[in-house]
Amino acid sequence: MSPIKRSLPYTVLALVLVSLSLTGCRGGSNESSKTADADAVSVRVADVTGGQVEEIPLRFSGIVRAAQRATLTFQVSGTLKERPVELGQMVKPGDALAKLYNPALQPAQDSAEAKLQELKTQFNQAQREWERSVRLHKRGVVSEQNLEQLAARRDSLRASMATAQAALSEATHLLEESVLKAPFAGQVEALLVERDEFVSAGQPVMRLSSPLGREVELRVPAHLLSHVRVGMELPVWQVQDRNRAPESGTVIEIAQGSSIRGELHPVLVSLPPNSLSSGEPVEVGITPVRESAVTVPMLAVVRDATGTSVYRVSNNVARRVPVKIDRVIGERVMVHSGELMPGDQVVYAGMTRLVDGDTVEVR
């Protein structure tokens, strides 16, 4: 027999041994994988519910108005003689809007001015007499008593002159108040008095509004004041075009609650520039937000000697979290725990073999 034929059985035997060794290695790898899978505890989990719940938005009606507006009045009474502006006219700061005639204003100013001038003349004369008397006193011609009398008369005239100056200022200011001037740039919104009508002091004459800003005032119940805050964005719908997307208004002022039962409280909302016009009816939405109780499934609660707790799963690891049960709501229980948050997952099945820190497999 040739050498090649004699070595053939040995070659086949070597191949069989290599195959068996590879099979043994693969079998060892499967056993290790099975051992790792057996370490993870199979559990079922459920979500923690609760937290803040937004209810349906409540709509409150209001009218768009100018953010800067004024109702103008005279500080004196009289007859309206001039009104050079018309309804809807744009004016600048300082423009004359109306003029009042009062027959007593100009004479009062003239009288006060004349009185002041008279006192100034008398004071100057008294001052010169006192100065001459001082020189004569040094020569021994004028006594000390006469010198003091001249000084007292001079000082009295100085005080009277100050009083006359104040009276003249008052008369001048009252005369200036007979002319109504625009306090800011804006549009004449309303004319409330016609020419030649008598106007009392403080009586509204016209309304002026600025076109630069817009706002809307809401009236809301006291229990909703806690659901709004300064700077909050609120949707504003235009009543006349409900298909239009709502504008976004910003809360700028909130009234404080009062003890009057049933009273509505104002909330001021600023509107974006060039969004809505003055006088347009709108609706502003306020969405109440209430706190919902944190609940977990009843089966997730574990009771032992240390108290009650649940297993929270995070990254496939179960951690024990102590909880305090408040009450049962159907198949769930309301719990108090600063660590549990809505959306967390807790174990409700497979807890018999579970220990704090175990790796779990969620099924």
Coordinates of all heavy atoms in Angstrom, one line a residue, residues 300-338:
A300 N -49.1 47.6 41.8 CA -47.7 48.0 41.8 C -47.2 48.3 43.2 O -46.0 48.5 43.5 CB -47.5 49.3 40.9
V301 N -48.1 48.5 44.2 CA -47.7 48.8 45.6 C -47.3 47.6 46.3 O -48.0 46.6 46.4 CB -48.9 49.5 46.3 CG1 -48.5 49.9 47.7 CG2 -49.4 50.8 45.5
V302 N -46.1 47.7 46.9 CA -45.5 46.6 47.7 C -45.6 47.1 49.2 O -45.2 48.2 49.5 CB -44.1 46.4 47.3 CG1 -43.5 45.3 48.2 CG2 -44.0 46.0 45.8
R303 N -46.1 46.2 50.0 CA -46.2 46.5 51.5 C -45.3 45.5 52.3 O -45.4 44.3 52.1 CB -47.7 46.4 51.9 CG -47.9 46.9 53.4 CD -49.3 46.7 53.8 NE -50.2 47.4 52.9 CZ -50.6 48.6 53.1 NH1 -50.2 49.3 54.1 NH2 -51.5 49.2 52.3
D304 N -44.5 46.1 53.1 CA -43.6 45.2 54.0 C -43.5 45.9 55.3 O -44.2 46.9 55.6 CB -42.3 44.9 53.3 CG -41.5 46.2 53.0 OD1 -41.9 47.3 53.5 OD2 -40.6 46.1 52.2
A305 N -42.5 45.5 56.1 CA -42.4 46.0 57.5 C -41.9 47.5 57.5 O -42.2 48.2 58.4 CB -41.4 45.1 58.2
T306 N -41.2 47.9 56.4 CA -40.8 49.3 56.3 C -41.8 50.2 55.8 O -41.6 51.4 55.8 CB -39.5 49.3 55.4 OG1 -39.9 48.9 54.1 CG2 -38.4 48.4 55.9
G307 N -42.9 49.7 55.3 CA -43.9 50.6 54.8 C -44.3 50.2 53.3 O -44.2 49.0 52.9
T308 N -44.9 51.1 52.6 CA -45.3 50.9 51.2 C -44.4 51.5 50.3 O -43.8 52.6 50.5 CB -46.7 51.4 51.0 OG1 -46.7 52.8 51.4 CG2 -47.7 50.7 51.8
S309 N -44.2 50.9 49.1 CA -43.3 51.4 48.1 C -43.7 50.8 46.7 O -44.6 49.9 46.6 CB -41.8 51.0 48.4 OG -41.7 49.6 48.5
V310 N -43.0 51.3 45.7 CA -43.2 50.8 44.3 C -41.8 50.6 43.7 O -40.8 51.2 44.2 CB -44.0 51.7 43.5 CG1 -45.5 51.8 44.0 CG2 -43.4 53.1 43.4
Y311 N -41.7 49.8 42.6 CA -40.5 49.6 41.9 C -40.6 50.5 40.6 O -41.4 50.2 39.8 CB -40.3 48.2 41.6 CG -39.8 47.4 42.7 CD1 -40.6 46.5 43.4 CD2 -38.4 47.4 43.1 CE1 -40.2 45.8 44.5 CE2 -38.0 46.6 44.2 CZ -38.9 45.8 44.9 OH -38.4 45.1 45.9
R312 N -39.7 51.4 40.5 CA -39.6 52.3 39.3 C -38.6 51.7 38.4 O -37.4 51.5 38.8 CB -39.4 53.7 39.7 CG -39.3 54.7 38.5 CD -39.1 56.1 38.9 NE -37.9 56.3 39.7 CZ -37.6 57.4 40.4 NH1 -38.4 58.4 40.4 NH2 -36.5 57.4 41.1
V313 N -38.9 51.6 37.1 CA -38.0 51.1 36.1 C -37.4 52.2 35.3 O -38.1 53.0 34.7 CB -38.7 50.0 35.2 CG1 -37.7 49.6 34.1 CG2 -39.2 48.9 36.0
S314 N -36.0 52.2 35.3 CA -35.3 53.2 34.4 C -34.1 52.6 33.9 O -33.3 52.0 34.6 CB -35.0 54.4 35.3 OG -34.2 55.4 34.5
N315 N -34.0 52.6 32.6 CA -32.8 52.0 31.9 C -32.7 50.5 32.2 O -31.6 50.0 32.5 CB -31.5 52.7 32.2 CG -31.5 54.1 31.7 OD1 -32.1 54.4 30.7 ND2 -30.9 55.0 32.5
N316 N -33.9 49.8 32.3 CA -34.0 48.4 32.6 C -33.5 48.0 33.9 O -33.0 46.9 34.2 CB -33.2 47.6 31.5 CG -33.9 47.6 30.1 OD1 -35.1 47.8 30.1 ND2 -33.1 47.6 29.1
V317 N -33.5 49.0 34.9 CA -33.1 48.7 36.3 C -34.2 49.1 37.2 O -34.8 50.2 37.0 CB -31.8 49.4 36.6 CG1 -31.5 49.2 38.1 CG2 -30.6 49.0 35.7
A318 N -34.6 48.2 38.1 CA -35.7 48.5 39.0 C -35.2 49.1 40.3 O -34.3 48.5 40.9 CB -36.5 47.2 39.3
R319 N -35.7 50.3 40.7 CA -35.3 50.9 42.0 C -36.6 51.0 42.8 O -37.6 51.4 42.4 CB -34.7 52.3 41.7 CG -33.4 52.2 41.0 CD -32.3 51.5 41.8 NE -31.0 51.5 41.1 CZ -29.9 50.9 41.6 NH1 -30.0 50.3 42.7 NH2 -28.8 50.9 40.9
R320 N -36.4 50.8 44.1 CA -37.5 50.8 45.1 C -37.7 52.3 45.5 O -36.8 52.9 46.0 CB -37.3 49.9 46.3 CG -38.5 49.7 47.1 CD -38.3 48.5 48.0 NE -39.5 48.2 48.8 CZ -39.7 47.1 49.4 NH1 -38.7 46.2 49.4 NH2 -40.8 46.9 50.1
V321 N -39.0 52.8 45.4 CA -39.3 54.2 45.8 C -40.4 54.1 46.8 O -41.5 53.6 46.6 CB -39.8 55.0 44.6 CG1 -40.1 56.4 45.0 CG2 -38.7 55.0 43.5
P322 N -40.1 54.6 48.0 CA -41.1 54.7 49.1 C -42.3 55.6 48.7 O -42.0 56.7 48.1 CB -40.4 55.2 50.3 CG -38.9 55.0 50.0 CD -38.8 55.1 48.5
V323 N -43.5 55.2 49.0 CA -44.7 56.1 48.7 C -45.6 56.0 49.9 O -45.6 55.1 50.7 CB -45.4 55.6 47.4 CG1 -44.5 55.7 46.2 CG2 -45.9 54.2 47.6
K324 N -46.5 57.1 49.9 CA -47.5 57.1 50.9 C -48.8 57.1 50.3 O -49.1 58.0 49.4 CB -47.3 58.4 51.8 CG -48.3 58.6 52.9 CD -48.1 59.8 53.7 CE -49.2 60.0 54.8 NZ -49.0 61.2 55.5
I325 N -49.7 56.2 50.6 CA -51.0 56.0 50.0 C -52.0 57.0 50.6 O -52.1 57.1 51.8 CB -51.5 54.6 50.1 CG1 -50.5 53.6 49.4 CG2 -52.9 54.4 49.5 CD1 -50.8 52.1 49.5
D326 N -52.7 57.7 49.7 CA -53.7 58.6 50.1 C -55.1 57.9 50.1 O -55.8 57.8 51.1 CB -53.7 59.9 49.2 CG -54.6 60.9 49.8 OD1 -55.3 60.7 50.9 OD2 -54.7 62.0 49.2
R327 N -55.5 57.5 48.9 CA -56.8 56.8 48.9 C -56.8 56.0 47.6 O -56.0 56.2 46.7 CB -58.0 57.8 48.9 CG -58.1 58.8 47.7 CD -59.3 59.6 47.9 NE -59.5 60.5 46.7 CZ -59.0 61.8 46.7 NH1 -58.3 62.2 47.7 NH2 -59.2 62.5 45.7
V328 N -57.8 55.1 47.5 CA -58.0 54.2 46.3 C -59.0 54.8 45.4 O -60.0 55.3 45.8 CB -58.5 52.8 46.8 CG1 -58.7 51.9 45.6 CG2 -57.5 52.2 47.8
I329 N -58.6 54.9 44.1 CA -59.5 55.4 43.0 C -59.6 54.3 42.0 O -58.8 54.1 41.1 CB -58.9 56.6 42.4 CG1 -58.6 57.7 43.4 CG2 -59.9 57.2 41.3 CD1 -57.9 58.9 42.9
G330 N -60.7 53.4 42.1 CA -60.9 52.3 41.2 C -59.8 51.3 41.4 O -59.6 50.8 42.5
E331 N -59.1 51.0 40.3 CA -58.0 50.0 40.3 C -56.6 50.7 40.5 O -55.6 50.1 40.4 CB -58.0 49.2 39.0 CG -59.2 48.4 38.8 CD -59.1 47.6 37.5 OE1 -58.2 47.8 36.8 OE2 -60.0 46.7 37.3
R332 N -56.6 52.0 40.8 CA -55.4 52.7 41.0 C -55.5 53.4 42.4 O -56.5 53.5 43.0 CB -55.2 53.8 40.0 CG -55.2 53.3 38.5 CD -55.0 54.4 37.5 NE -53.6 54.9 37.6 CZ -52.6 54.4 36.9 NH1 -52.7 53.4 36.1 NH2 -51.4 55.0 37.0
V333 N -54.3 53.7 42.9 CA -54.2 54.4 44.2 C -53.5 55.7 44.1 O -52.6 55.9 43.3 CB -53.5 53.5 45.2 CG1 -54.3 52.3 45.6 CG2 -52.1 53.1 44.7
M334 N -54.0 56.7 44.8 CA -53.3 58.0 44.8 C -52.2 58.0 45.9 O -52.4 57.6 47.0 CB -54.3 59.1 45.2 CG -53.8 60.5 45.2 SD -54.9 61.7 45.9 CE -56.3 61.5 44.8
V335 N -51.0 58.4 45.4 CA -49.8 58.3 46.3 C -49.2 59.7 46.4 O -49.4 60.6 45.6 CB -48.8 57.3 45.7 CG1 -49.4 55.9 45.7 CG2 -48.3 57.7 44.3
H336 N -48.4 59.9 47.4 CA -47.6 61.1 47.7 C -46.1 60.6 47.7 O -45.7 59.8 48.5 CB -48.0 61.7 49.0 CG -49.4 62.2 49.0 ND1 -49.7 63.4 48.4 CD2 -50.5 61.8 49.6 CE1 -51.0 63.6 48.6 NE2 -51.5 62.6 49.3
S337 N -45.4 61.2 46.7 CA -44.0 60.9 46.7 C -43.3 62.0 45.9 O -43.7 62.3 44.8 CB -43.7 59.5 46.1 OG -42.3 59.4 45.9
G338 N -42.3 62.6 46.4 CA -41.6 63.6 45.7 C -40.7 63.1 44.6 O -40.2 63.8 43.7

